[in-house]
Amino acid sequence: MIKTRFAPSPTGYLHVGSLRTALYCYLFAKKNKGKFILRIEDTDQERFVEGAVENLLSTLSWVGLNYDEGLMEDGKEVGENGPYIQSKRKNIHLENAQKLIDSGHAYRCFCSKERLTKMREIQAKNKQAPMYDRKCLDLPESEINAKLSSGEPYVIRQRMPYDSIRFKDIIRGNMQFDGKTIDDQILVKSDGFPTYHLANVVDDHLMEITHVIRGEEWLPSTPKHIALYQAFGWDVPEFAHLPLLLNPDKTKLSKRQGHVAVEEYIKEGYLKEAVINFVAFLGWNPGSGEQREIFTLKELEKIFELKKVHKSGAVFNIEKLDWFNWQWHKKKFNEEMTVLAKELDKNVEITNRGFDFSNQEAEEAFLLKKGKKLKKYAAGFIPKEYENTPELLTRALSMLDEKILKNKKETAKNLAFFFNYPEYSKELLTNKKMKVDLNQAYISLSESLKDIKKIEDWTLQNLKESLFETVKRLDVKNGQVFWPLRAALSGMQFSPGVFETAWALGKEESLSRIAQALKKLQ
Ligand code: GLU
């Protein structure tokens, strides 16, 4: 069975790059009906950060990446291959280090810090790569025992085979490393703690990991790991090294150019669906001519392929994240509105323009509920004074869904024309393409004013009927009436439609705005 693992070191927060690693591990396991494991790699005691593990678990749970084995949010561990917290596995690591000493693949090194520093200085002077010179490799048994009983500190080093090491990375293809350049790495530090290299290999083996999927920064460590698997006589897992995440200027993704912690995006209110969707596309896409970009986690589980991950660095583009967020907000909002529309009107027709209601009560009720929903969504971005006319506010909001879902921070700007009579020049009332000159604008406005003045019940339906009547009587195209009227009501080149705007503004305000437009034309 395919088994993958996400093995974060709890150093504070979940980096977006780590989230991508976790996501790809998860998706690859799901796609192949395998298992996904979470292992906390906390052997580096110096890097321990209070609360980091809890934070990591809650962030993973927020995005919905459930694992089959590992440490759960309630502190319990699930799975048969635990413990899943590396520091609790120290004895297992040390037993295995002893096995390597016994089989001649590792040795104790008693060299002092001073000696090692001196050795490196000489190597640097001679332009040699820094490598341990194996002074302690063949110490006689008696000397080792004497040093051990006198309590001399030591580390355990792996005896590297010095052969060339090859492997096939699923993403990067054939890799080859010259064994002679690989240092006799430390497996157990002088404080008695295993290093990442030893712990990682032992744990991956014992947890039966078949595919090691991780960031490209671990590629140089992979030959060391392979040598360890071979020294133990264990099967070597498959490796897939994911490309780096880059800033738009192609430098390595850094805090300086934006957030790198997933929590920051959560705090800013990004939808988890958008974050997952965006992160999935950092260095991968379904390919094969697939144009679609919006996928749920469930859908990604079916289509994800590790082979299709790109080799080159993936640019982290915040505009793209915003785009995904907008698309997801729209998708979720539309789904909710569809349910609402059907609830209010069994016979509503759903077209690609929106909803065609069978009766106007349902339509108005729908718009008001929609407006209230958007009011909640944009809370904090609506000027206080607009709240004094709640009916106008709700109606106005109901027609600004596209804009508000795209960027709620601009809600005040988008609402402004409903609340303050806008400045504009009379040319706005004309439209060459629609054959509306100043004269036509005057006729259209004065005739429609006459008609809508007669409306007693200011409903959308009555507005529509009345204004189509004006068009018919004047024997002109719709646009020749609707353009100047919409411009007069909104004072803007682009705005919501004429009926909705008039409906939202109410009778008195609409009539007054048309009258002011007529004044400009006189
Ligand atoms: N603990 C390592 C990290 O935080 C894991 C590397 C690996 O997946 O082997 O990146």
Side-chain angles (χ1 to χ4, degrees):
M1 189 207 297
I2 280 184
K3 256 187 163 185
T4 62
R5 66 4 175 222
F6 175 50
S9 301
T11 51
Y13 56 84
L14 185 66
H15 189 283
V16 274
S18 302
L19 176 60
R20 184 192 54 179
T21 304
L23 177 62
Y24 287 6
C25 288
Y26 169 90
L27 292 176
F28 182 71
K30 289 284 164 201
K31 170 78 192 271
N32 294 289
K33 312 231 175 321
K35 280 196 168 164
F36 171 53
I37 293 181
L38 174 75
R39 181 176 70 232
I40 305 292
E41 295 206 331
D42 60 344
T43 46
D44 194 348
Q45 299 292 310
E46 280 163 32
R47 291 169 71 202
F48 181 79
V49 177
E50 194 64 43
V53 174
E54 293 73 14
N55 185 34
L56 199 114
L57 299 184
S58 67
T59 311
L60 284 178
S61 122
W62 178 80
V63 287
L65 292 189
N66 301 327
Y67 34 91
D68 304 292
E69 294 177 25
L71 176 66
M72 300 292 150
E73 258 188 301
D74 60 5
K76 294 205 181 91
E77 293 193 33
V78 170
E80 286 162 11
N81 300 298
Y84 294 91
I85 302 174
Q86 209 159 46
S87 58
K88 291 195 189 162
R89 302 174 63 83
K90 189 175 161 197
N91 290 339
I92 304 175
H93 303 136
L94 297 184
E95 275 162 31
N96 279 286
Q98 186 59 48
K99 275 189 203 155
L100 290 181
I101 295 181
D102 296 343
S103 64
H105 289 100
Y107 57 96
R108 292 188 179 83
C109 166
F110 296 90
C111 289
S112 65
K113 263 202 188 113
E114 294 71 34
R115 176 175 186 275
L116 294 175
T117 313
K118 194 151 221 149
M119 177 192 81
R120 279 193 207 108
E121 275 166 15
I122 297 170
Q123 285 168 340
K125 220 188 256 161
N126 297 339
K127 301 217 158 44
Q128 290 168 322
M131 293 271 276
Y132 178 58
D133 61 3
R134 291 192 160 175
K135 177 169 181 284
C136 295
L137 176 60
D138 289 317
L139 290 183
E141 201 62 30
S142 54
E143 198 178 329
I144 296 175
N145 289 336
K147 284 178 188 294
L148 288 179
S149 50
S150 71
E152 230 180 273
Y154 65 89
V155 299
I156 299 177
R157 287 184 186 271
Q158 186 189 2
R159 176 186 190 158
M160 291 304 295
Y162 284 5
D163 298 333
S164 85
I165 292 177
R166 294 161 203 255
F167 68 98
K168 191 166 179 187
D169 187 274
I170 296 174
I171 295 163
R172 308 181 60 93
N174 290 325
M175 307 301 296
Q176 185 173 350
F177 291 83
D178 179 0
K180 289 197 199 67
T181 60
I182 303 174
D183 203 4
D184 280 357
Q185 59 172 320
I186 296 177
L187 301 178
V188 178
K189 296 178 278 184
S190 57
D191 61 6
F193 276 93
T195 57
Y196 154 73
H197 300 291
L198 176 67
N200 185 271
V201 166
V202 169
D203 293 348
D204 278 348
H205 171 72
L206 294 177
M207 293 179 183
E208 300 164 347
I209 301 304
T210 58
H211 290 73
V212 172
I213 303 168
R214 60 185 172 197
E216 194 174 86
E217 65 274 24
W218 298 105
L219 192 58
S221 299
T222 305
K224 301 180 192 176
H225 297 176
I226 290 176
L228 266 177
Y229 283 103
Q230 288 167 344
F232 280 118
W234 295 338
D235 286 344
V236 180
E238 302 265 354
F239 290 97
H241 287 92
L242 308 176
L244 283 180
L245 292 190
L246 306 175
N247 293 309
D249 66 2
K250 300 280 162 81
T251 53
K252 196 175 157 201
L253 187 65
S254 64
K255 270 192 214 174
R256 258 177 305 122
Q257 302 204 18
H259 302 315
V260 291
V262 179
E263 301 133 73
E264 297 290 343
Y265 295 98
I266 301 178
K267 260 191 237 147
E268 287 202 3
Y270 283 89
L271 289 174
K272 66 174 182 216
E273 289 86 351
V275 172
I276 284 282
N277 206 156
F278 168 72
V279 169
F281 275 75
L282 284 175
W284 171 86
N285 62 54
S288 319
E290 173 63 86
Q291 299 294 316
R292 206 177 127 195
E293 287 187 278
I294 302 300
F295 294 95
T296 62
L297 185 59
K298 278 265 160 300
E299 288 168 333
L300 290 168
E301 286 171 21
K302 293 199 187 92
I303 58 166
F304 181 76
E305 276 183 78
L306 203 48
K307 283 197 305 259
K308 286 192 178 151
V309 173
H310 311 152
K311 275 200 206 63
S312 53
V315 173
F316 184 98
N317 195 334
I318 189 81
E319 282 94 41
K320 188 76 196 192
L321 172 58
D322 287 339
W323 181 83
F324 272 115
N325 204 39
W326 175 40
Q327 297 302 313
W328 269 102
H329 267 304
K330 270 208 301 205
K331 186 172 149 74
K332 293 181 84 158
F333 188 78
N334 287 342
E335 282 164 6
E336 236 178 283
M337 288 305 111
T338 306
V339 173
L340 176 63
K342 284 184 186 158
E343 252 169 40
L344 294 168
D345 179 0
K346 274 201 302 290
N347 300 319
V348 67
E349 272 182 49
I350 300 163
T351 71
N352 47 12
R353 283 175 295 108
F355 302 107
D356 273 344
F357 288 89
S358 68
N359 66 82
Q360 65 141 6
E361 286 78 22
E363 179 166 16
E364 289 193 9
F366 171 79
L367 288 173
L368 294 178
K369 288 207 168 173
K370 181 173 161 188
K372 286 196 179 126
K373 174 98 201 149
L374 287 159
K375 188 172 164 197
K376 261 198 206 140
Y377 176 74
F381 297 100
I382 299 171
K384 275 269 160 304
E385 66 268 27
Y386 293 179
E387 312 250 0
N388 298 337
T389 42
E391 181 146 335
L392 171 60
L393 179 60
T394 317
R395 289 181 178 198
L397 284 167
S398 77
M399 55 200 71
L400 292 172
D401 46 337
E402 273 278 324
K403 288 205 157 83
I404 292 176
L405 294 173
K406 187 166 186 181
N407 185 0
K408 61 176 160 187
K409 291 183 191 143
E410 291 188 353
T411 303
K413 191 180 109 195
N414 288 316
L415 278 172
F417 81 89
F418 285 103
F419 294 86
N420 303 301
Y421 186 64
E423 286 290 329
Y424 64 91
S425 72
K426 63 182 177 194
E427 276 65 40
L428 185 77
L429 302 165
T430 68
N431 187 315
K432 219 176 188 167
K433 235 164 114 202
M434 291 187 182
K435 299 208 168 63
V436 186
D437 56 13
L438 290 170
N439 189 39
Q440 179 62 49
Y442 186 83
I443 297 170
S444 297
L445 286 175
S446 49
E447 290 300 309
S448 43
L449 180 65
K450 235 194 271 164
D451 289 340
I452 61 177
K453 243 186 199 162
K454 290 185 224 141
I455 299 179
E456 276 174 24
D457 196 5
W458 195 255
T459 62
L460 270 174
Q461 186 67 24
N462 290 345
L463 275 162
K464 277 182 208 169
E465 274 168 19
S466 164
L467 288 169
F468 276 114
E469 196 50 49
T470 319
V471 170
K472 210 163 139 202
R473 192 176 66 246
L474 295 181
D475 193 19
V476 290
K477 291 244 160 56
N478 291 348
Q480 288 176 291
V481 170
F482 298 166
W483 175 274
L485 192 55
R486 194 199 50 75
L489 293 170
S490 68
M492 298 205 299
Q493 184 85 10
F494 304 104
S495 74
V498 62
F499 309 120
E500 289 84 357
T501 306
W503 174 70
L505 287 171
K507 185 168 179 180
E508 197 185 324
E509 180 67 15
S510 296
L511 298 185
S512 136
R513 289 190 181 194
I514 299 167
Q516 301 208 46
L518 282 167
K519 234 190 247 156
K520 281 185 202 272
L521 292 169
Q522 267 160 6

